[in-house]
Amino acid sequence: MTAGAVDQLPHAAAPAPLSLREAAEHTSLSPASAEQVRLLGTAWTGRLALFVRAYAASTGHPVGIPAPVADTLEAELRKLTGEPGPVVTAVCVEDVFGELRWDSSTPLDAAALQELLAGADRRIADFAARLRGQLALHATRYVVVPPVFPPLPLPVAERSVALRLARLAGRITDALVETLTDLPHGSVLDTDRALETLARAAWADGTAPQTPGPVLSEEAASLIARVLATRLRLVWQPKVLVTDLDGTLWRGILSEDGPAGVRSHAVAGEAAHRWWQRMLLCARGQGFIIAVCSKNSPNALEAFTDAALREHVGLLVPPAGFAAVSTSWAPKSEQLAAMAKALDLPTDVFVLVDDNPVELAEVAATHPDVTTLRFPGPGEDWSGLCRTLQDLTAVGDSQLTHEDRERAHYYGLRYRSEAARAKATSVDDFLASLGMRLELAPVGPEQAPDRCLQLLNRANRFHLTGHRFDDASWLQLVDDPDRQVFTARLVDTFGDHGICAVIVTETAKDRVRLREFAMSCRVLNRTLEAAVFGWLIGRSRRPLHVTWCPTGRNDTVLEALHGHGFSTVTRAAAETDGAVTVVFDPAVDEPRSRNFVKVQLCRTS
């Protein structure tokens, strides 16, 4: 996301970022459910933390930030022990050049600086290598924020010092980017680029005491904090891009002009339609769900043949490319509500793009949390919409798994299956008609952990323990000879839903213990959990012990365990973590859950 682009976010519930004073007055920005972000550094970290809190609060996504520790950056990194949440390492010159101190009682001297910075490139490279070594030990998300040098309040004779320091900051940034670029879990935030929309004179805080130290202005710190918040995924992000048809996806009105009268080719004055289709295609490839919501005849898209779509209309996105298509004469607010229910997603992750301001107003009045964007009419400037949508669909530097790229396909399967459920005479008949098969495959240490870690670290509603893993703890898990790790892939009459669950078991002489069970929310309500419980119990013929740890969001798991017939054997005292241990003994217990899924053990996932 470009500098300052967050100002363009059209989310209805996002007011202007709080001021520094207002942020300081917010004392309840760290609830237990907030994502914990550790800010490590020695210079301007505290000020940056304040702005991150302010921006997180203004977007409605609070974040917990532990107080920075007064220690060197490398010492703080060495103390990391795998706590949850991303890490922000705010590098300052003092970290690289330990002798340098911004002390108002010791004015900077060009000669002293010359001696201090002798061999600067070597010292910078050594620091970057040490930093890489520390970060590589902790497979958690991180963002490295290089130093920032606003203009220093120095005498004219010493302004060359400020110039040299600014150049030095650039060299530190270059070294960090070059050294850390291939680490899989993080990125380096280019501070100069984040501030490129500000004149350099505006970087400095003119109200701060006149010391030689670089003090960022509120505007500069806010810009960096906003880009940082985007990198850490603390800001609201959409999941579903919904497009209107007439006047948006194409030029013309289908019900009046007919299939032969609508166009979307990129001709003079009509490039916006083509650009929007390309944007939808790119977003789909990056894991966003794309959908259609239009006041039109039911099954309107079926009026086109494949040849007409490609050659006549010039439509880049075929109807099958949309995960959900809703065309009816019902209000769009009702169509979107039904779509959100079928996809099992909240409406606040929906973005509706429509050329009709009346339709947008109707949706906004009913669903104020839906982001509504007006598509420009003929001859209108569409560059602003282009920039906004590019910002909204920025995916940052995180690695995309196969399941990420296929997310739209998987949600399309869900949408079609939910449509079939609505037409079924009963839920049981519908589930039985799906012919569901759950393919379980063992996972070894030599296999790529990306999807397993993604499920264990992202699943919330159905996550047995809520425990998060990094690469080191994952390898320790799969290397344990007493434990088995399985992935679960769901296949039904609608298609392959991909790897949707991870199961970790531990075997003892007299029992089996289910250690971890994380499942994607898009396959909930399919009786998959009952199938897994039944398979584990039938496979071992021994009691199955399960410990559920509450996270505030995973009550569904405990309900499923009790619903299957597990009995509580221990419940943690109130002053502890509230964990509950349950057991199912096949010698005395009978499964009570209905199961419509056949389990098959495969060799590979």
Side-chain angles (χ1 to χ4, degrees), residues 48 97 111 133 153 238 244 319 324 335 369 405 412 439 480 504 508 519 542:
L48 188 64
F97 303 95
D244 177 40
Q335 294 188 54
D369 52 352
R405 297 186 185 280
E439 298 177 352
D480 190 329
V504 181
M519 186 165 63
R542 284 171 282 185

Side-chain angles (χ1 to χ4, degrees), residues 75 137 301 345 350 411 465 520:
L137 295 175
L301 287 180
L345 290 171
F350 280 66
Y411 271 96
T465 65
S520 171

Side-chain angles (χ1 to χ4, degrees), residues 462-492:
F462 202 99
H463 195 313
L464 179 63
T465 65
H467 295 164
R468 307 307 189 188
F469 291 80
D470 56 23
D471 284 345
S473 56
W474 165 260
L475 289 175
Q476 184 180 11
L477 181 73
V478 295
D479 276 337
D480 190 329
D482 294 327
R483 292 180 179 175
Q484 285 187 294
V485 182
F486 299 92
T487 59
R489 176 187 296 274
L490 176 65
V491 181
D492 63 16

Side-chain angles (χ1 to χ4, degrees), residues 183-371:
L183 284 181
H185 298 288
S187 62
V188 178
L189 192 158
D190 190 335
T191 46
D192 284 357
R193 184 177 179 186
L195 298 177
E196 64 187 0
T197 58
L198 286 181
R200 183 170 287 270
W203 292 13
D205 186 348
T207 64
Q210 297 300 299
T211 68
V215 181
L216 287 177
S217 66
E218 288 195 9
E219 189 174 9
S222 182
L223 281 176
I224 292 174
R226 294 177 193 183
V227 179
L228 175 61
T230 303
R231 293 286 184 93
L232 295 175
R233 298 302 181 91
L234 300 178
V235 298
W236 163 86
Q237 288 221 330
K239 289 185 178 180
V240 188
L241 300 182
V242 186
T243 181
D244 177 40
L245 294 179
D246 300 329
T248 304
L249 197 64
W250 54 54
R251 174 174 57 84
I253 301 175
L254 182 61
S255 61
E256 297 178 3
D257 303 325
V262 297
R263 294 286 190 278
S264 67
H265 292 293
V267 296
E270 300 294 339
H273 299 292
R274 200 65 165 181
W275 166 83
W276 174 223
Q277 292 176 25
R278 286 200 301 269
M279 170 67 76
L280 288 170
L281 275 178
C282 292
R284 188 182 189 277
Q286 293 174 329
F288 292 90
I289 301 163
I290 62 173
V292 167
C293 179
S294 173
K295 277 191 174 179
N296 239 308
S297 300
N299 306 318
L301 287 180
E302 295 180 6
F304 298 97
T305 64
D306 287 343
L309 287 170
R310 290 193 307 269
E311 301 169 11
H312 178 67
V313 182
L315 193 63
L316 294 175
V317 189
F322 292 102
V325 175
S326 176
T327 56
S328 76
W329 300 111
K332 289 192 176 180
S333 60
E334 295 181 8
Q335 294 188 54
L336 286 175
M339 186 182 295
K341 181 179 180 181
L343 294 173
D344 194 24
L345 290 171
T347 52
D348 67 357
V349 298
F350 280 66
V351 176
L352 173 63
V353 179
D354 196 313
D355 68 310
N356 190 330
V358 176
E359 299 289 355
L360 294 174
E362 188 270 331
V363 169
T366 309
H367 304 295
D369 52 352
V370 172
T371 297

Side-chain angles (χ1 to χ4, degrees), residues 92-105:
C92 61
V93 174
E94 292 96 317
D95 295 316
V96 185
F97 303 95
E99 308 94 317
L100 182 60
R101 290 289 179 267
W102 301 115
D103 185 354
S104 59
S105 63

Side-chain angles (χ1 to χ4, degrees), residues 291-595:
V292 167
C293 179
S294 173
K295 277 191 174 179
N296 239 308
S297 300
N299 306 318
L301 287 180
E302 295 180 6
F304 298 97
T305 64
D306 287 343
L309 287 170
R310 290 193 307 269
E311 301 169 11
H312 178 67
V313 182
L315 193 63
L316 294 175
V317 189
F322 292 102
V325 175
S326 176
T327 56
S328 76
W329 300 111
K332 289 192 176 180
S333 60
E334 295 181 8
Q335 294 188 54
L336 286 175
M339 186 182 295
K341 181 179 180 181
L343 294 173
D344 194 24
L345 290 171
T347 52
D348 67 357
V349 298
F350 280 66
V351 176
L352 173 63
V353 179
D354 196 313
D355 68 310
N356 190 330
V358 176
E359 299 289 355
L360 294 174
E362 188 270 331
V363 169
T366 309
H367 304 295
D369 52 352
V370 172
T371 297
T372 54
L373 301 174
R374 192 179 76 84
F375 193 84
E380 293 183 350
D381 178 35
W382 48 277
S383 61
L385 177 67
C386 175
R387 287 191 298 271
T388 298
L389 285 166
Q390 286 173 337
D391 289 341
L392 291 178
T393 56
V395 296
D397 302 314
S398 58
Q399 298 275 343
L400 291 177
T401 66
H402 173 75
E403 277 70 19
D404 286 330
R405 297 186 185 280
E406 292 297 314
R407 186 178 294 116
H409 168 69
Y410 296 145
Y411 271 96
L413 297 180
R414 178 184 176 87
Y415 185 81
R416 291 193 289 276
S417 68
E418 288 301 309
R421 182 197 292 264
K423 297 177 182 178
T425 55
S426 72
V427 174
D428 285 0
D429 289 344
F430 164 72
L431 292 175
S433 71
L434 292 177
M436 291 181 284
R437 183 175 76 253
L438 194 64
E439 298 177 352
L440 297 181
V443 178
E446 72 283 354
Q447 292 174 273
D450 288 354
R451 179 55 178 164
C452 295
L453 286 177
Q454 188 178 65
L455 281 166
L456 289 168
N457 292 334
R458 291 189 184 179
N460 291 302
R461 288 171 62 186
F462 202 99
H463 195 313
L464 179 63
T465 65
H467 295 164
R468 307 307 189 188
F469 291 80
D470 56 23
D471 284 345
S473 56
W474 165 260
L475 289 175
Q476 184 180 11
L477 181 73
V478 295
D479 276 337
D480 190 329
D482 294 327
R483 292 180 179 175
Q484 285 187 294
V485 182
F486 299 92
T487 59
R489 176 187 296 274
L490 176 65
V491 181
D492 63 16
T493 56
F494 288 96
D496 183 349
H497 294 259
I499 295 175
C500 55
V502 174
I503 302 118
V504 181
T505 64
E506 184 177 274
T507 304
K509 290 182 179 180
D510 60 340
R511 68 184 62 181
V512 174
R513 182 172 292 278
L514 180 58
R515 286 289 186 183
E516 297 289 346
F517 188 4
M519 186 165 63
S520 171
C521 62
R522 58 183 165 81
V523 295
L524 290 179
N525 304 317
R526 296 289 200 92
T527 71
L528 267 67
E529 62 278 7
V532 170
F533 297 150
W535 180 78
L536 290 173
I537 294 165
R539 182 172 183 248
S540 68
R541 302 289 182 182
R542 284 171 282 185
L544 178 61
H545 288 244
V546 185
T547 298
W548 169 81
C549 301
T551 66
R553 303 173 68 181
N554 66 342
D555 289 348
T556 302
V557 185
L558 187 60
E559 293 170 3
L561 290 165
H562 285 156
H564 193 77
F566 283 81
S567 301
T568 300
V569 291
T570 63
R571 183 180 294 271
E575 63 268 15
T576 62
D577 60 3
V580 175
T581 298
V582 298
V583 65
F584 188 101
D585 186 347
V588 297
D589 295 323
E590 290 289 335
R592 297 200 299 262
S593 299
R594 301 219 32 138
N595 175 26

